Structure formats: C-alpha cells, structure tokens
Amino acid sequence: MKVKLHQIAYEFGKSTLLVLSNTVIMVPFLLFLGLSDGRTETSVLPFALYYACRILGVFLIRAIKNTISSLELLVAALSVGLLGSILALFGPLLPIFYLFSGILIGLSASWLPSANVTLNHFQPNKEKKVYYPVVLVGLLALFWGLSLSGNAGVWLSFGVYTVFYIIALLYAREATLRQILINRAMPKESSVLFSKREFWIFTGLCLLLIVLRSGRLLDSALSINIALIGFCIFFSY
C-alpha cells in the first residue's frame, strides 16, 4: 500500500504542483477574505495575516541568506502549506485555527510559485508529464468550493489543498530518492548564515501591513493612520 501510494504521488505530483503553485495566491485570498464580516478584528485577522505573509515571505527567506536550495524551499513551502490547510479544516470549529492557517498558507503562497518555477527550469523532470484531467478536476473542485457558502466551501477547498499538498510532498520525496530532483545548494556569499536585518524588515513590514489591511477591512481610520505613520517612520531609516 505504501509503495503504491508513493507511486501514485510520483505519477500525479507534477500535476498537483501545477495546481498549487497557480492557485495558492488567489483561492486562499478569496477564502480568507470571505471570512471577514467587516466588524470584528478576529474575522479580518486571518486575511490580514495571509496577505502580509504572502507579500513579505520573501524577506524571511532572504534572512537565511543563500543556504537554502530551491528543492528545500519547495519542500518547506509544501510542508507549511499542508499544515496550514489542515488547520483551516478545523477553523469552522475553532476560529483561532484560521489565524495560524493564514500565516502558514501565506508563507506557502510566497515561496511555492518561485521554487516550482526554478525547479521546472533547472530540473524539469521530463520523465513525468502533467496530467491535465487532474489539473482540471482540481481547479473545478477549488472554484466549486469558492461558490459554496458557509463552512462547506472552506472544507471543500482546503480539503482539496490538503490532498494536493500531500501528493506534492510525496512526489518531491520520491523524485529526490530517484535522483530526479537534486538538492543543489547555492554557494554561500559569506560566513553569515542569518541576516537580522532581513528578519526585522520582514517582521516590521508584516506587522504594519496587518494593521493596514485590518484597518481597511474594518474601515478604521485610526488603524490606517497608525499604519501609514509606521510605514513613514520605517522607510525613513
């Protein structure tokens, strides 16, 4: 059973990666936005967290310099995306899970497209092709989830993401074991493996962007003004 599962994942993993990398920027954006009621902070925070991490996740990668390869970045993006999708499935039962889900899926949306494009360019794995019926079924299921109201849409869309993330992770592992995908770490520019400057840029901008997006969704002039003043101070240094 285990061998068969890995074989299925290796067969269809390239197709699921295509779906994930092309929809993880848009579909969760709409799902998290749909959770907002425009009145309470708890309802707008999942979207704000997702949006901030998606936009600024690149700074978190830059903080660890060139010690991470495209393959490692792909695995990291798939891992955090899988965890975020699983947590989102429990969001209707306990809304606090949406907060952690927004962060994790936002980071996945920031890292996954670039990592997948880089690997397809330098290590295209011509041994496997994209099965467009799988792509079509995945897209139809995701957009069907967007059309459903209430918790049903959340469960369907994030359920599809959970399955696709699992398949894509197993595909990456199997392709690595077969030496189809090779871990090619970039040469280190210096002995510094972690940049505090990039990390604080990510943290500062992320907090300000969360305040700004939350203020816009809540129509709070105070939050928007605080965020704008913060951006002015931040960029003055």
Side-chain angles (χ1 to χ4, degrees):
M1 178 66 181
K2 183 179 179 181
V3 174
K4 187 176 181 180
L5 183 61
H6 279 270
Q7 184 60 40
I8 291 173
Y10 185 62
E11 193 72 26
F12 299 108
K14 203 168 183 180
S15 305
T16 59
L17 267 176
L18 179 65
V19 175
L20 289 171
S21 61
N22 284 279
T23 63
V24 75
I25 292 178
M26 179 180 64
V27 174
F29 179 97
L30 296 174
L31 288 170
F32 285 124
L33 185 60
L35 298 175
S36 172
D37 59 11
R39 295 189 299 272
T40 60
E41 289 80 1
T42 54
S43 71
V44 303
L45 270 178
F47 172 77
L49 289 167
Y50 165 81
Y51 184 83
C53 290
R54 177 174 72 82
I55 296 297
L56 302 172
V58 63
F59 288 105
L60 193 57
I61 289 299
R62 287 175 58 86
I64 57 177
K65 296 293 186 179
N66 289 331
T67 58
I68 186 169
S69 67
S70 296
L71 178 56
E72 290 170 331
L73 182 59
L74 177 69
V75 172
L78 293 173
S79 300
V80 297
L82 173 59
L83 181 56
S85 297
I86 293 173
L87 290 177
L89 292 175
F90 293 96
L93 305 177
L94 193 60
I96 193 173
F97 284 122
Y98 281 133
L99 303 181
F100 300 104
S101 175
I103 294 172
L104 294 170
I105 297 179
L107 291 175
S108 180
S110 178
W111 302 340
L112 182 57
S114 59
N116 189 44
V117 167
T118 302
L119 274 178
N120 281 336
H121 180 73
F122 292 105
Q123 302 180 45
N125 189 10
K126 297 178 180 178
E127 178 182 331
K128 289 301 172 187
K129 63 181 180 179
V130 173
Y131 291 93
Y132 287 100
V134 175
V135 175
L136 181 60
V137 169
L139 291 175
L140 289 176
L142 288 172
F143 288 113
W144 184 22
L146 289 176
S147 68
L148 296 177
S149 60
N151 296 332
V154 172
W155 280 324
L156 176 58
S157 295
F158 285 116
V160 172
Y161 271 128
T162 299
V163 173
F164 275 30
Y165 271 118
I166 292 173
I167 293 174
L169 265 174
L170 291 175
Y171 162 76
R173 181 179 181 276
E174 190 69 14
T176 303
L177 291 175
R178 299 187 185 199
Q179 295 186 335
I180 303 298
L181 298 179
I182 303 172
N183 184 16
R184 296 174 179 171
M186 297 177 64
K188 300 175 184 178
E189 291 182 347
S190 66
S191 59
V192 180
L193 301 181
F194 184 80
S195 171
K196 292 182 179 179
R197 179 177 178 274
E198 299 288 351
F199 176 76
W200 288 116
I201 287 176
F202 167 77
T203 304
L205 288 178
C206 197
L207 290 174
L208 290 171
L209 196 55
I210 290 170
V211 174
L212 179 62
R213 295 301 305 187
S214 299
R216 292 186 63 183
L217 289 172
L218 293 171
D219 197 22
S220 171
L222 178 61
S223 297
I224 294 174
N225 288 334
I226 290 174
L228 293 177
I229 292 171
F231 278 118
C232 291
I233 296 174
F234 189 90
F235 288 114
S236 66
Y237 287 96

